[in-house]
Amino acid sequence: MKRMTGAQILCESLVKEGVEVIFGFPGGAVLPLYDTLPQYPQLRHILVRHEQGAAHAADGYARATGKVGVCLATSGPGATNLVTGIANAHLDSVPMVAITGQVARPFIGKDAFQEVDITGITLPITKHNYLVLDAGSLAKVVKESFYLARSGRPGPVLIDIPRDVFIEQAEFHYPSKVDLPGYKPTLQGHPAQIKKAGKLINEASRPLIIAGRGVIISGACDELKQLAETAQIPVVTTLLGIGCFPETNVLNYGMLGMHGMAYANMAVDAAEVIIAIGMRFDDRATAKVSGFAPHARIIHIDVDPAEIGKNVRVDVPIVGDVKGVLNVLNKLITPAGRGDWIQQLDNWRKEHPSTIIRDSEGLLPQHVIRKIYEVTQGEAIIVTGVGQNQMWAAQHYWYDKPNSLISSGGLGTMGFELPAAMGAKVGRPDSTVWCVAGDGGFQMTVQELATIVQEKVAVKIAVINNGYLGMVRQWQELFYRKRYVATPLTCPDLVKLGEAYGILGLRVKRKEEVVPAIEQAMKHQGPFLIDFVVEPEENVYPMVPPGASLAEVLEEREKEAKVLSDSAKLPMSNI
Ligand SMILES: Cc1ncc(C[n+]2csc(CCOP(=O)(O)OP(=O)(O)O)c2C)c(N)n1
Ligand SMILES: [Mg+2]
């Protein structure tokens, strides 16, 4: 066996795991590791401009590729700067390994320079974390970390490594298997439960599938399609489930939830059996839980037993990997027509067309998204910010492939868009990647433009510039009597800003300029930035007001008056 330094053992182990890219930022505690990195040219290190960018880039990379994303930071402030990105990955079940330097072992617990207890801080937002106290255990820890990050319900794992462990010598042996007796995810669903589910589905005249990101993670898109098409079951998806079932398929009725399609929410309200697959009944998807799917028996398939019954009552729980469970379930399903039910949904879709863009002289944000869809022919990967831009990107682009919409769902992290888009483009260099940013969110992580230029990442950026923290302004308009406190915001001249970074850019203020600008961005070889100056007070519809149930969906501006007059009655706790 070969003796190596801890830093070499770490690099060797990363190579064994197939890691190709590390998003990182150096500092004292990780200097021995950085000094070793040039010995491993297989590991491309991308120097971000802020560690939050490293975590989001690793996240975007992981979602776009299905591989584990890796980020690296020094101790203390480097490690704490990763925290938002780790929490983001945790809530959206994204496989990630975050490596942090720690002060040398003799200094731990002494409030040493740049010491924080990062394993303590990240305990609730990681799937697992490690403080490595000897170089001899590093290989095993890396092996376990990657296994934990990608298996079962994926998530982030943090490895904290003291500075002197990087320097310490030990023998390198990479384990071929993990031995984690306390961690055995249940992958196979219980056959009796699956049988019960099959019977319920076969007997139902109004079944509905709600599909989430678990379908994508499990690689079960084909199995889902088979279930939906064989039994003619309409499909609605969560925000993160978008793309798991082609949005251009006739059985796809769009996203449900707070800003979901009105007809998707109506379908949930009327359904007799709900088959919830790889989703976790997030409150933005269910709206008021007591009013959720009042007529339905609920079948819930998820790999994480902690999700069963957490938010919503479940009649048939099935714990297991979605792909395997659907494979078994599909054998029990009898082909059916369900013409009346499908007709009913089609009628609702006609009567409540949720993606019609109203006529307007001004430049509407929805129009921008729609044109990006048309010019990219639905083939791009769209990475969004959080807020109105995110909802318009979800509503007005149609996603036919898994992982073609990358968005911060659970944590709702503004500033995710730019670094995550960078990570996605690094992972999928042959795909077109559009970052749809809010003017607020863009300014939170704008420094990554420098990384994009230095690393030649040809991401296309559309800033939806409404001059507001738009989603918060919308809530103030509807629920706080139009008092726009702390939501109007200025922005530097984005075209000049791009130029300062070395990125070509355009400003678009009029409708007819939209398509030529998008086409120019697509033709340009490198990164490109478009500042879309849109109608400042455009709102996102449909909208289920907070505290209301899915059936109480508002479809357009005329209904606002009603919300305003009712707003005193709304529970404000979740606003
Ligand atoms: C880091 C962070 N801080 C605060 C919020 C609360 N928040 C949600 S949406 C939003 C407005 C976002 O503004 P912008 O990025 O301009 O997007 P828009 O809604 O205008 O499209 C805010 C402040 C958040 N989601 N994330
Ligand atoms: Mg905005």
Side-chain angles (χ1 to χ4, degrees), residues 149 169 230 299:
Q169 297 228 339
T230 309
I299 300 163

Side-chain angles (χ1 to χ4, degrees), residues 192-404:
Q193 292 294 93
I194 300 178
K195 218 168 146 189
K196 254 196 226 165
K199 187 164 179 293
L200 256 186
I201 295 168
N202 287 335
E203 288 169 1
S205 50
R206 298 191 316 278
L208 179 74
I209 292 170
I210 305 179
R213 188 171 132 72
V215 176
I216 298 174
I217 294 170
S218 163
C221 300
D222 289 344
E223 289 75 7
L224 172 64
K225 196 153 181 261
Q226 193 189 328
L227 173 64
E229 289 185 340
T230 309
Q232 288 295 296
I233 306 175
V235 178
V236 302
T237 69
T238 64
L239 172 69
L240 295 189
I242 285 178
C244 74
F245 185 73
E247 289 203 304
T248 52
N249 186 304
V250 286
L251 286 172
N252 189 315
Y253 291 86
M255 173 174 83
L256 85 162
M258 182 174 268
H259 292 294
M261 303 296 104
Y263 41 86
N265 291 341
M266 290 168 174
V268 175
D269 196 60
E272 175 195 5
V273 168
I274 279 178
I275 309 130
I277 312 177
M279 57 82 76
R280 61 181 178 83
F281 297 101
D282 175 81
D283 56 79
R284 286 295 186 266
T286 59
K288 186 170 77 180
V289 168
S290 58
F292 177 77
H295 310 291
R297 315 275 310 264
I298 296 178
I299 300 163
H300 188 191
I301 307 170
D302 203 283
V303 76
D304 184 355
E307 290 301 343
I308 306 286
K310 187 179 82 180
N311 295 337
V312 159
R313 69 193 154 79
V314 172
D315 300 284
V316 185
I318 304 174
V319 177
D321 178 52
V322 165
K323 191 180 178 82
V325 171
L326 288 186
N327 256 323
V328 179
L329 181 63
N330 279 338
K331 295 196 181 90
L332 309 174
I333 295 298
T334 40
R338 300 200 161 89
D340 291 349
W341 175 224
I342 305 272
Q343 187 60 53
Q344 172 69 78
L345 264 73
D346 286 341
N347 290 347
W348 282 332
R349 179 149 53 185
K350 257 191 232 114
E351 290 156 17
H352 306 271
S354 304
T355 55
I356 298 266
I357 303 174
R358 70 184 169 87
D359 272 340
S360 158
E361 282 286 300
L363 179 56
L364 293 180
Q366 299 93 320
H367 179 78
V368 173
I369 304 293
R370 188 66 61 82
K371 293 299 164 192
I372 295 177
Y373 174 72
E374 286 170 13
V375 176
T376 60
Q377 300 179 321
E379 294 287 335
I381 296 174
I382 305 291
V383 185
T384 78
V386 168
Q388 293 184 314
N389 65 86
Q390 176 183 37
M391 293 300 123
W392 287 317
Q395 294 174 338
H396 294 277
Y397 197 102
W398 284 276
Y399 302 87
D400 278 347
K401 293 193 190 126
N403 297 318
S404 52

Side-chain angles (χ1 to χ4, degrees), residues 4 7 9 33 64 66 124-125 241 248 272 279 356 367 387 400-401 410 484 511 516 527 529 540 569 573:
M4 292 180 179
I9 291 173
L33 173 61
I125 54 163
T248 52
E272 175 195 5
M279 57 82 76
I356 298 266
H367 179 78
D400 278 347
K401 293 193 190 126
Y484 294 166
K511 258 173 158 172
L529 189 158
V540 180
K569 288 182 245 150
S573 57

Side-chain angles (χ1 to χ4, degrees), residues 10 25 27 29-31 33-34 51 70-83 86 97-103 114 116-120 122 129-132 138 157-163 165-166:
L10 175 61
F25 200 94
V30 285
L31 257 183
L33 173 61
Y34 272 85
E51 291 86 351
V70 179
C71 56
L72 165 63
T74 193
S75 65
T80 52
N81 276 351
L82 289 179
V83 167
I86 294 172
V97 169
I99 300 163
T100 49
Q102 182 52 279
V103 299
Q114 295 190 327
V116 293
D117 173 11
I118 197 64
T119 47
T122 58
N129 65 27
Y130 295 88
L131 171 61
V132 182
L138 246 178
V157 177
L158 181 131
I159 312 175
D160 196 27
I161 308 171
R163 187 181 198 280
V165 170
F166 284 123

